[in-house]
Amino acid sequence: MSIVVGNDAEHKLLALLRIALNCSAEAANDKQIFSLSAEDWRNILDLAAAHTVTGLIYAAVKKLPSDLCPPDNISLKLMMEAERIERYSRKVESFTEKLVSELKGASLAPVFMKGHEVAKYYPEPYLRVCGDIDVYFQPSEFQMAVSFFKEKGYAPQRRPDRSFFSNSGPGIDIHPYYFDLHVRLEKLPPVPSTEAVLLMLSSHILKHAMGPGVGLRQICDMVVCLKAFTGNSAESNCTYDSVQLEEYFQAAHVATWNKVLLAFISRYFGLDTAMFSGSVNAGQPLPKKIRKLLSSFERIVFSGGNFGFYNISRKKTATSKFSGKRKIDTFYRFLRNTPFSLRCSPREFFSYTFSLLKGNLD
Amino acid sequence: MIAKQYRLFEDCSLRELKGKFLVMVYPKDGQKPFALEVNASFAFLFQTAQRLEVFDVDALANAVVNEYKIDLNRAKEEVEHTLEMWLQYGLIK
């Protein structure tokens, strides 16, 4: 497997993630890879924090032999962070169970999306860092669902993209659309389905890559789902129709993008993506277009971290007194990534840009 | 120390990594959570106490005798010493 990332910490971070997700061709006791100094470990953990994958690093370290583990003071900090992550994950799980019970009591049928849906496919689900709860309702139920959240005191606020957000608990993102795509629904897979999950995750990563940025956590989500849905994982026996899935990606105009994503996953997580829809066959050289897009995508992932927050310009927006600074930073990132976005999916780029502009002006 | 029955403080957890043990305590009285690095025998007692809804010196001492094959009197001394420490740290009440 060739690695083209920039620095040693990135190499080692990826090696540890491969171990955590059971993708690894390397042995956990490979001293050439895992003989690391204290400073190496600090750099890796800083990078893991930027990509919000620290819990996975803890999972990987558990598999290393004792002589390759981090020094004691670093191990203890890692344990404390893993404890914090797991504890929060369990808290979110309890909150979600209560929410589901309330929603079902109101005859509503929530469909959970993104991290909350895919966490169960991880070898250790509670070590996946939780963000907001993303929940989708069918069009026929959406307004009822929003009313439900209002009546129950969740105080959902409307957002430019027509979703609603509530600050309750870990944060609840209430979506009227399952897919981050501007395509007629009848061309897309039924929800819920394994094809829908894969298309949803892929398009979600694309949207963030087009704009603020995206990190390894979302890519790990895609990795665990691909493993689970091809029967390569003990966590699931789901399967999907690869021919039908490729048709869905084509219909959604994101087939080129998906090839880029699968090339990234093949290169850095070692999955044989030849079996997946639309991917370039393993062992064959990448087409020039995909190679160039892959290089751009690598820059986006490794320079930005989790949703681009690792990037210095993004960090500054968090402390700025000017509330529009974040929007300006997001706009700048859209501009910067335009060549990449246009080549991945011009239709989605224009549609997405238009809908965001419209939403902000409404 | 007067032998009496104890309960673990409401919210504690034990985590182990390659022979390192960490107890995390989450006080519900508004104090900040804290962590204690502990040794293997402390961890064994802690795990035993967690399994017992209410525990005392005798219950824990018997567990120590079975695990470490030492005599009961010595086990009781070790347990009493540990419980004193737990009281000081606020792990038990």
Side-chain angles (χ1 to χ4, degrees):
Chain A
M1 181 192 322
S2 64
I3 303 288
V4 294
V5 295
N7 64 51
D8 199 50
E10 286 165 356
H11 280 264
K12 298 295 190 305
L13 175 67
L14 288 161
L16 289 164
L17 288 178
R18 289 192 289 274
I19 287 178
L21 300 182
N22 299 326
C23 296
S24 186
E26 303 104 335
N29 59 359
D30 188 335
K31 289 188 194 272
Q32 274 201 313
I33 299 174
F34 297 118
S35 285
L36 301 170
S37 67
E39 188 181 348
D40 290 334
W41 277 111
R42 275 192 289 273
N43 290 337
I44 289 167
L45 290 179
D46 283 346
L47 202 52
H51 285 273
T52 56
V53 292
T54 306
L56 297 183
I57 300 308
Y58 172 77
V61 166
K62 286 198 292 181
K63 297 181 184 181
L64 297 179
S66 298
D67 60 332
L68 296 181
C69 282
D72 288 353
N73 59 333
I74 295 176
S75 284
L76 286 169
K77 283 185 183 167
L78 186 56
M79 288 164 76
M80 287 172 66
E81 184 60 16
E83 170 71 18
R84 189 192 66 75
I85 291 167
E86 271 202 20
R87 189 176 173 82
Y88 185 71
S89 293
R90 289 178 195 277
K91 197 171 165 186
V92 171
E93 184 184 57
S94 293
F95 178 90
T96 307
E97 282 169 357
K98 180 171 165 288
L99 177 62
V100 168
S101 176
E102 287 181 339
L103 287 165
K104 288 188 173 169
S107 303
L108 291 165
V111 177
F112 289 93
M113 302 162 60
K114 302 178 190 171
H116 194 82
E117 166 63 16
V118 306
K120 60 180 178 264
Y121 299 121
Y122 278 74
E124 295 188 65
Y126 293 116
L127 288 175
R128 182 195 179 277
V129 169
C130 276
D132 303 338
I133 297 172
D134 288 276
V135 60
Y136 160 78
F137 294 91
Q138 302 278 0
S140 56
E141 284 192 344
F142 184 72
Q143 285 308 322
M144 265 174 52
V146 173
S147 298
F148 164 88
F149 280 106
K150 285 179 180 169
E151 283 158 23
K152 293 289 185 182
Y154 287 95
Q157 302 297 316
R158 194 174 186 276
R159 283 175 147 175
D161 64 357
R162 299 187 197 174
S163 66
F164 283 76
F165 181 77
S166 161
N167 273 318
S168 294
I172 310 171
D173 237 320
I174 307 158
H175 296 274
Y177 309 111
Y178 187 79
F179 301 102
D180 262 334
L181 292 163
H182 299 81
V183 179
R184 287 204 310 274
L185 280 179
E186 54 267 26
K187 292 189 174 186
L188 299 177
V191 176
S193 66
T194 51
E195 291 87 351
V197 172
L198 290 173
L199 181 57
M200 178 265 295
L201 288 177
S202 178
S203 58
H204 178 59
I205 294 171
L206 172 62
K207 287 306 158 65
H208 280 283
M210 283 181 172
V214 68
L216 290 169
R217 177 166 54 124
Q218 283 65 41
I219 296 170
C220 287
D221 286 348
M222 190 71 176
V223 169
V224 299
C225 280
L226 285 170
K227 282 171 62 68
F229 296 165
T230 54
N232 284 337
S233 163
E235 285 74 35
S236 171
N237 290 320
C238 296
T239 57
Y240 64 91
D241 182 334
S242 60
V243 171
Q244 178 78 86
L245 184 62
E246 173 62 12
E247 287 174 9
Y248 287 135
F249 275 105
Q250 293 285 353
H253 305 276
V254 291
T256 299
W257 151 249
N258 199 52
K259 286 184 174 63
V260 177
L261 178 60
L262 291 177
F264 185 99
I265 287 172
S266 173
R267 175 175 282 181
Y268 294 115
F269 289 89
L271 294 195
D272 176 9
T273 56
M275 70 183 81
F276 303 134
S277 126
S279 71
V280 177
N281 287 338
Q284 289 187 5
L286 290 175
K288 187 176 173 185
K289 178 179 179 181
I290 302 298
R291 215 166 52 240
K292 286 191 165 183
L293 287 171
L294 176 58
S295 176
S296 298
F297 184 54
E298 286 162 357
R299 172 189 58 75
I300 291 169
V301 171
F302 293 112
S303 67
N306 184 50
F307 296 140
F309 290 136
Y310 182 48
N311 189 284
I312 289 174
S313 71
R314 194 70 172 177
K315 279 185 193 172
K316 284 181 181 173
T317 66
T319 54
S320 170
K321 290 179 184 173
F322 173 42
S323 61
K325 195 159 185 176
R326 189 172 183 141
K327 289 193 176 181
I328 293 172
D329 182 72
T330 301
F331 176 68
Y332 164 73
R333 285 158 184 274
F334 264 102
L335 273 185
R336 187 183 175 192
N337 295 336
T338 295
F340 166 80
S341 307
L342 277 172
R343 295 189 72 196
C344 275
S345 178
R347 182 189 167 110
E348 269 313 300
F349 171 73
F350 286 118
S351 302
Y352 185 40
T353 307
F354 177 74
S355 68
L356 277 182
L357 281 172
K358 186 171 179 297
N360 274 287
L361 291 171
D362 277 348
Chain B
M1 185 180 75
I2 300 171
K4 59 178 180 177
Q5 293 189 317
Y6 299 94
R7 285 180 188 277
L8 271 175
F9 212 36
E10 290 94 3
D11 204 348
C12 304
S13 69
L14 175 72
R15 187 172 289 271
E16 184 266 337
L17 177 67
K18 307 293 179 198
K20 292 260 162 236
F21 296 92
L22 202 67
V23 169
M24 299 291 301
V25 185
Y26 302 90
K28 286 194 177 175
D29 58 359
Q31 293 188 46
K32 279 178 66 173
F34 58 94
L36 297 169
E37 187 189 354
V38 301
N39 58 24
S41 53
F42 185 117
F44 167 75
L45 272 176
F46 185 88
Q47 283 171 318
T48 306
Q50 273 187 314
R51 282 198 296 274
L52 303 166
E53 187 181 328
V54 178
F55 56 90
D56 57 23
V57 172
D58 287 340
L60 292 180
N62 285 328
V64 168
V65 166
N66 290 333
E67 177 73 11
Y68 291 103
K69 315 295 180 209
I70 59 175
D71 68 81
L72 186 60
N73 285 336
R74 187 174 157 213
K76 281 188 177 179
E77 276 177 25
E78 295 290 338
V79 167
E80 283 191 2
H81 171 72
T82 302
L83 291 183
E84 280 286 349
M85 204 177 1
W86 288 8
L87 269 172
Q88 277 178 27
Y89 282 130
L91 263 65
I92 60 175
K93 55 180 179 178

